[in-house]
Amino acid sequence: MMRALYLPGNCTPTKVALHSPQLLGVFLLWAFVLGTIGSAENFAADQQPNIVFIFSDDHALQSIGAYGSKINETPNIDRLAQEGAVFLNSFCANSICGPSRACILTGKHSHKNGFLRNGNRFDGNQTTFPKLIQQAGYQAALIGKWHLSSDPTGFDHWEVLPGQGSYYNPDFIQMDGSRHRRMGYCTDIITDLSLDWLQDRDTEKPFLLMCQHKAPHRNWAPPQRHFDLYKESDIPEPPTLHDNYSNRSELLKQNEMSIRDHMMWRHDMKLHGKIEFPKHFKTEGRNGEYARMTEEQKQAWDAQYEPENQDFLAKMRAGSLSDTQILSWKYQRYIKDYLRCIAAVDDGVGRLLAYLDETGLAENTIVIYSSDQGFYLGDHGWYDKRWMFEESMKMPFLIRWPGKITEGSRTPTLIQNIDYAPTFLELAGAPVPPEIQGRSLVPVLRGNCEAPSDWRDAVYYAYYENDAVHNVPKHDGVRSERYKLMYFPRTREWNLFDLEVDPQELTSFHDDPEYAEVLRGMKQLYRNQRSFYEVNSAVIPETRGDDKNWKQREDLLKSRVKKGSDPVRLAFIGDSITHSWENGGKSIWEETFAPRNAVNLGISGDRTEHIIWRLQHGGGFSEIKPEVAVLMIGTNNTGHMMQDPAEVAAGIERILEIIADQSPETKVVLHGIFPRGRTELDEQRLNNQAINQRIRRFADGKQVHWLDIGKVFLEPDNSLSAEIMPDALHLSKQGYQRWAEALEPKLQELGL
């Protein structure tokens, strides 16, 4: 009989004649030994493989045939799955455009590569895999969407879209800094430019091509050739389109990315003119794509959309549509445009694969298809991404390497976009730097697409855009094979999901007694992951722009420092204890510090990470450059989360570094964190003391001057009286008097 066997280290089936069970057993034993000894050699290419990395934007797994889509077909992308492998549990580390790309380039989580949120500027001086792959002899090209603010580095050739780019007649930034408008449809143009580069490259070198599409990013402007796609039929609605966000964090209800309430009249729905129905369309928006079109393109566009628009508007004016029917119309308009954009991407994938076949490059070229994150296709009533739910956290990863990767493989291995860099480097024969946090997928690919026994048991996720559009709060968490744990700092709450019994994530089991042990275990896994990836929230800049009071206070401080005509000599930086110089300590401030032209930059509730944010985002300090700054911060790092003293100290050290960078002449009085709690064995007081033992070492006697005045607030028995600290944390008027008196000698010593 003939049986197809997949030999270790070679993922293509090999047919061997086996005429008896005994011979089959001998052959299997031989294959196992051979694979164990030489699998790495068998998997390695005779020459360095070429790499074509096709990368789209916001492509949800629910719209890819190979992932079991019920609403779409992607024949060319699916070809990669048929001829290679599909990773079913591929996740992004931060579900937003720029940060995901930075994770891929560096192999590091956002807090390590410095690109936490859209609007940051990527530091191109840091190590990235294209630079290292160049050193291994590759020529590298990047064409399409970049979205990292700085210019690409590590590429022999690049041509990128400015910002998000445009679908119609897009501009491209050239390597010399100039911009060139190319007429046509963006997805097609990016494919054209990629093919042009492949044809013009140095054929003596292996190559890395990063073909990066804008599509299917909002606002979903499809090409004319796909206008008729799904025109005669409706797309099935997802079962969670009408999610009411119960049984989970209340923060979900505050979202601003629902199809029901947040789709824009012109930008998303392609309607012309002013909003006619403000109850259902709260924002008009601008269809920038339509404005870029030629007259011919506009005519084709209007021929597609206007009949549907006028039919909808007539029904709206007649009042014949229910709220549910209006939501359904919005969903159909959105999802059909989204899928039509994907059809163009799939066309481009097909053209690239055809070129590799025609030129004989396919055999030794690794082709990967992925996207920067997933997307909500009406799931939970949403569009966009950001939340740590499956639909946006998951990202596609399909890989083909003829003769090396098992055809038709489907692996549940937990992978993440920080794994791409080390994978590319190992495939290219380049060393993987130790600072890379991801792990090469080569052992998985080499092992017949099964993870080795020491593979990770969970992935870590963190989202940082706390005050951005869509009102998705900062949160992080871990995802194991079965469970997912999310933590929301804004409300200091946990959500726990069991993906086996609740795959749509409609109920959090965090307060279910039957899940108490699971919750404890997942919290420990969360701590383990944060420790492993060296996540320290105390040094990661965080805005509180979602907090109305904080924003008002920040705006007030900015206006104060700009109004003053005389130079500010003294600035206080801190949290509510500093803030309250304007409350309980106001009369003392007016008498002691106001004559020195002092300014109070304290904001109640701040932790070290918030001060870092404000210092880096024009919070007032860089404008005034005072002679002396008084810093007392960290009590909320203890009070809010009992943060490890070493982590808090690192946050304070970072604040001192920023102050020194922004105002080298400013002398800093670094206070020890004031005592809290009634007794000397209060846990939080002890934590503050442990922080103080670390931060006192930051004093150099030149710019930073240590001053621990905690004793002045204590009674002889080391207790805190209600007269000094009514709540065992905040100072009374008498407490502020003691602070001023203890600080005065140091200020005079420093020239004030």
Side-chain angles (χ1 to χ4, degrees), residues 53 55-56 92-93 97-109 113 122 128-130 210 212 370-373 395 416-422 424 436:
F53 179 50
F55 197 59
S56 58
C92 60
C97 303
S100 180
R101 294 161 196 273
C103 290
I104 288 170
L105 286 168
T106 63
K108 297 184 289 189
H109 278 278
N113 65 50
F122 184 72
T128 62
F129 85 83
M210 297 177 68
Q212 305 202 160
S370 185
S371 179
D372 51 4
Q373 62 263 323
M395 56 195 295
Q416 207 160 18
N417 54 355
I418 59 172
D419 298 331
Y420 295 8
F424 293 153
I436 281 183

Side-chain angles (χ1 to χ4, degrees), residues 58 60 62 71 216-222 235 238 241 257-260 263 268-270 305 308 327-342 374-379 381-385:
D58 295 343
Q62 311 93 284
I71 62 172
H217 193 280
R218 193 182 183 192
N219 66 338
W220 316 297
I235 306 298
L241 179 63
M257 48 185 272
S258 72
I259 296 174
R260 179 188 299 276
M263 284 287 189
D268 299 315
M269 297 290 95
K270 317 301 193 299
Y305 288 99
E308 297 176 1
L327 172 59
S328 293
W329 188 89
K330 291 180 180 179
Y331 169 75
Q332 293 299 329
R333 170 56 57 89
Y334 157 51
I335 195 64
K336 289 180 180 181
D337 283 346
Y338 178 90
L339 296 179
R340 291 162 181 160
C341 291
I342 287 173
F375 213 66
Y376 296 103
L377 304 185
D379 314 278
W382 292 329
Y383 63 92
D384 210 72
K385 51 265 185 178

Side-chain angles (χ1 to χ4, degrees), residues 14-35:
T14 301
K15 290 186 177 180
V16 182
L18 300 176
H19 301 288
S20 70
Q22 293 82 3
L23 183 57
L24 174 62
V26 171
F27 185 88
L28 289 175
L29 177 61
W30 169 82
F32 173 78
V33 173
L34 179 62

Side-chain angles (χ1 to χ4, degrees), residues 724-751:
I724 302 302
M725 289 189 179
D727 60 355
L729 173 61
H730 296 93
L731 297 171
S732 64
K733 180 178 180 180
Q734 186 178 349
Y736 280 104
Q737 184 65 51
R738 292 189 183 186
W739 184 359
E741 291 173 354
L743 176 59
E744 183 62 28
K746 179 59 70 174
L747 294 181
Q748 292 188 21
E749 176 188 328
L750 298 178

Side-chain angles (χ1 to χ4, degrees), residues 102-224:
C103 290
I104 288 170
L105 286 168
T106 63
K108 297 184 289 189
H109 278 278
S110 300
H111 68 281
K112 285 292 188 180
N113 65 50
F115 201 100
L116 285 81
R117 51 183 69 82
N118 282 344
N120 287 159
R121 184 177 179 83
F122 184 72
D123 178 9
N125 293 319
Q126 64 184 305
T127 300
T128 62
F129 85 83
K131 293 179 183 178
L132 298 177
I133 215 168
Q134 278 184 318
Q135 294 174 17
Y138 278 69
Q139 53 189 317
L142 168 69
I143 297 168
K145 183 171 177 179
W146 173 244
H147 203 215
L148 291 173
S149 298
S150 59
D151 286 343
T153 57
F155 298 95
D156 300 282
H157 173 79
W158 57 263
E159 186 170 357
V160 298
L161 299 167
Q164 295 285 2
S166 301
Y167 279 104
Y168 276 80
N169 309 321
D171 295 330
F172 282 83
I173 303 174
Q174 311 299 311
M175 293 183 71
D176 63 4
S178 64
R179 294 195 181 199
H180 177 66
R181 179 162 297 189
R182 296 184 179 275
M183 303 304 292
Y185 188 68
C186 186
T187 305
D188 300 336
I189 294 170
I190 290 171
T191 302
D192 291 341
L193 294 174
S194 297
L195 289 169
D196 289 345
W197 183 82
L198 285 174
Q199 292 168 352
D200 296 338
R201 76 189 192 285
D202 181 353
T203 58
E204 298 301 314
K205 290 184 177 181
F207 64 83
L208 163 71
L209 169 63
M210 297 177 68
C211 172
Q212 305 202 160
H213 292 293
K214 169 190 171 63
H217 193 280
R218 193 182 183 192
N219 66 338
W220 316 297
Q224 295 177 21

Side-chain angles (χ1 to χ4, degrees), residues 624-696:
I624 57 177
K625 295 181 171 53
E627 295 178 36
V628 176
V630 177
L631 174 65
M632 203 287 285
I633 189 66
T635 192
N636 287 324
N637 296 71
T638 291
H640 292 169
M641 59 187 70
M642 279 298 288
Q643 195 163 11
D644 182 89
E647 292 187 355
V648 182
I652 295 172
E653 184 176 28
R654 180 68 185 123
I655 292 171
L656 293 172
E657 291 171 351
I658 297 172
I659 290 175
D661 180 64
Q662 292 184 353
S663 184
E665 302 303 317
T666 296
K667 295 180 175 63
V668 180
V669 176
L670 175 60
H671 275 312
I673 305 175
F674 294 171
R676 63 187 302 163
R678 291 296 177 206
T679 67
E680 61 182 341
L681 292 180
D682 178 271
E683 184 179 13
Q684 292 183 327
R685 188 192 295 190
L686 292 173
N687 205 60
N688 283 355
Q689 290 173 359
I691 297 169
N692 290 344
Q693 286 300 312
R694 292 176 178 272
I695 66 175
R696 65 181 177 82

Side-chain angles (χ1 to χ4, degrees), residues 45 47-53 80 198 201 206-209 352-353 355-357 359-368 399-405:
Q47 57 184 342
Q48 289 173 303
N50 305 309
I51 301 172
V52 174
F53 179 50
L80 295 177
L198 285 174
R201 76 189 192 285
F207 64 83
L208 163 71
L209 169 63
L352 284 170
L353 294 180
Y355 176 84
L356 296 176
D357 289 339
T359 57
L361 289 169
E363 183 177 353
N364 196 37
T365 297
I366 299 166
V367 181
I368 294 167
I399 180 170
R400 184 191 77 174
W401 191 7
K404 301 296 180 182
I405 296 175

